[in-house]
Amino acid sequence: MNTRSLRRHLIQLSLLALALGLTGPVWAQAAKWPSKPIKIVVAFPPGGLTDAYARNYGEYLSGKLGVPVVIENKPGAGAIIGIDAVAKSPADGYTFVMSTSGTFWQNRVLYSKLPYNLDKDLTPVTVFPSGPLVVGIPDKIPAKNMAEFVAWAKKNPTSMGTYAPGSYPHMLADQTNRQQGTSIQSVHYRGEAPMWLDVASGQLQVAVGSYQAFNTMSTRGVRAIGVTGSYRSPKLPDVPTLTEQGNTEKLVTLEGGLPLVAPAGTPEVILKRMADEAVAWSNTERAAKLRETFAIPNKPKNLADTRKDWEGEVPVWIKLAVDLGIKLD
């Protein structure tokens, strides 16, 4: 970062500090930020949507802030390992975590005990949209839509791949079992790539995940029978949503995302800057190409709007988890 840019950056921080009433040590800490590498922990292995977002955004952020942004993949235990590492990190603006919305929102009721408090130890920065998720099955299964697949599953042993315990597909499998009388078994993976490979090989009968990960197997015998959310995937315009297919449950209409989260107590000016840079990044050509690849039309929001959505949507997701009665420990 050159002298001119640094001066402008400090002036912006000063104005924000005055507006937010930051003084003393908190202001001194924020005024020096960033003076060393920033780390974004990804609670999943490389290769998935979470990792792609973090690396793309991180590279942009490094160019804007003038310090390295390191992406550290720390998968395991349904994202608990990665989230815990950041929850216990200093709230100094140098450590963040990115994971799926379910691992932040629903884990508080899916697990009887967590090594951190999701409400007290962490705070949201922004949410990177994940777009409609694809419901995919092997070509050899004679089902053209979700209703036909459910009918088939009632007569055949069926396993659904999920990218983490308590994730969206795990909840969808549980809800289908309760409402449709199926006995779909959830098989949890450390990310999407191995999950879709097992759908292609026939070891799994169904999986739910991002378009890009699904698409890597779409020429190897995996076929889409529906998408989640309130609108069709831009890459699969002929595949109807589960809602269009007659599923009225609240779960299938919701669109999750990939929250970027910081340790609670991180200075407000830093949280705001990180969120603003995410919004600015989303308007770049590289971000547009990533959304095109993953079939995601929506963009991340600023800090104020993220908090507003968080307050409105999180209780809905939590209630769904409570109603389904899933416990992972």
Side-chain angles (χ1 to χ4, degrees):
M1 184 180 290
N2 58 40
T3 303
R4 195 173 189 178
S5 298
L6 179 59
R7 186 181 298 114
R8 185 171 61 250
H9 178 54
L10 289 174
I11 291 172
Q12 291 172 340
L13 282 175
S14 298
L15 292 173
L16 281 170
L18 288 172
L20 296 168
L22 296 180
T23 58
V26 174
W27 158 238
Q29 178 187 34
K32 296 177 183 178
W33 182 89
S35 59
K36 62 181 182 179
I38 293 170
K39 179 169 67 176
I40 298 177
V41 173
V42 175
F44 289 92
L49 177 57
T50 314
D51 185 70
Y53 260 131
R55 293 183 186 280
N56 198 308
Y57 167 64
E59 185 175 336
Y60 169 86
L61 192 64
S62 178
K64 294 289 287 186
L65 299 182
V67 298
V69 176
V70 179
I71 308 302
E72 179 181 344
N73 295 92
K74 195 179 282 289
I80 291 174
I81 293 174
I83 296 173
D84 185 45
V86 174
K88 291 180 170 58
S89 296
D92 55 7
Y94 291 99
T95 310
F96 300 83
V97 62
M98 189 181 293
S99 187
T100 60
S101 52
T103 59
F104 288 116
W105 300 345
Q106 293 133 259
N107 272 7
R108 69 194 75 198
V109 295
L110 297 176
Y111 291 88
S112 301
K113 186 176 182 181
L114 290 170
Y116 46 82
N117 186 306
L118 285 160
D119 296 311
K120 296 180 179 180
D121 297 337
L122 296 157
T123 187
V125 178
T126 190
V127 178
F128 294 88
S130 57
L133 299 180
V134 181
V135 181
I137 64 174
D139 268 340
K140 65 181 182 180
I141 295 179
K144 297 178 181 178
N145 52 49
M146 193 64 177
E148 291 182 5
F149 177 76
V150 167
W152 182 90
K154 289 180 178 180
K155 302 175 182 177
N156 298 273
T158 304
S159 294
M160 176 183 284
T162 89
Y163 39 80
S167 61
Y168 188 103
H170 187 188
M171 295 185 70
L172 183 60
D174 189 83
Q175 186 175 79
T176 302
N177 288 340
R178 289 171 180 267
Q179 296 187 351
Q180 302 292 337
T182 50
S183 299
I184 299 172
Q185 298 297 312
S186 292
V187 181
H188 307 304
Y189 291 79
R190 286 189 169 190
E192 289 194 69
M195 175 183 80
W196 287 112
L197 278 170
D198 281 356
V199 178
S201 69
Q203 295 184 61
L204 290 176
Q205 289 70 50
V206 62
V208 183
S210 69
Y211 166 79
Q212 192 272 348
F214 155 81
N215 194 47
T216 60
M217 294 292 112
S218 63
T219 59
R220 297 175 59 178
V222 180
R223 174 166 44 85
I225 59 170
V227 298
T228 68
S230 59
Y231 55 90
R232 296 190 183 194
S233 168
K235 291 285 189 178
L236 298 168
D238 296 328
V239 178
T241 66
L242 296 183
T243 301
E244 289 178 291
Q245 296 183 39
N247 295 275
T248 58
E249 297 82 7
K250 183 66 175 177
L251 178 64
V252 303
T253 67
L254 294 174
E255 180 179 349
L258 307 170
L260 178 69
V261 174
T266 299
E268 186 82 357
V269 290
I270 295 176
L271 298 176
K272 186 177 186 304
R273 180 68 187 275
M274 290 288 287
D276 287 347
E277 293 297 355
V279 173
W281 163 81
S282 72
N283 293 317
T284 65
E285 184 178 349
R286 286 199 63 202
K289 288 181 178 178
L290 184 147
R291 290 196 304 275
E292 170 72 13
T293 298
F294 284 89
I296 301 170
N298 301 339
K299 299 178 181 181
K301 298 179 180 180
N302 63 30
L303 183 61
D305 288 340
T306 295
R307 285 173 170 167
K308 183 178 179 180
D309 289 347
W310 198 273
E311 291 174 1
E313 294 176 3
V314 171
V316 177
W317 285 96
I318 291 175
K319 185 177 186 304
L320 283 170
V322 170
D323 290 346
L324 290 174
I326 299 174
K327 280 293 181 183
L328 303 179
D329 56 7

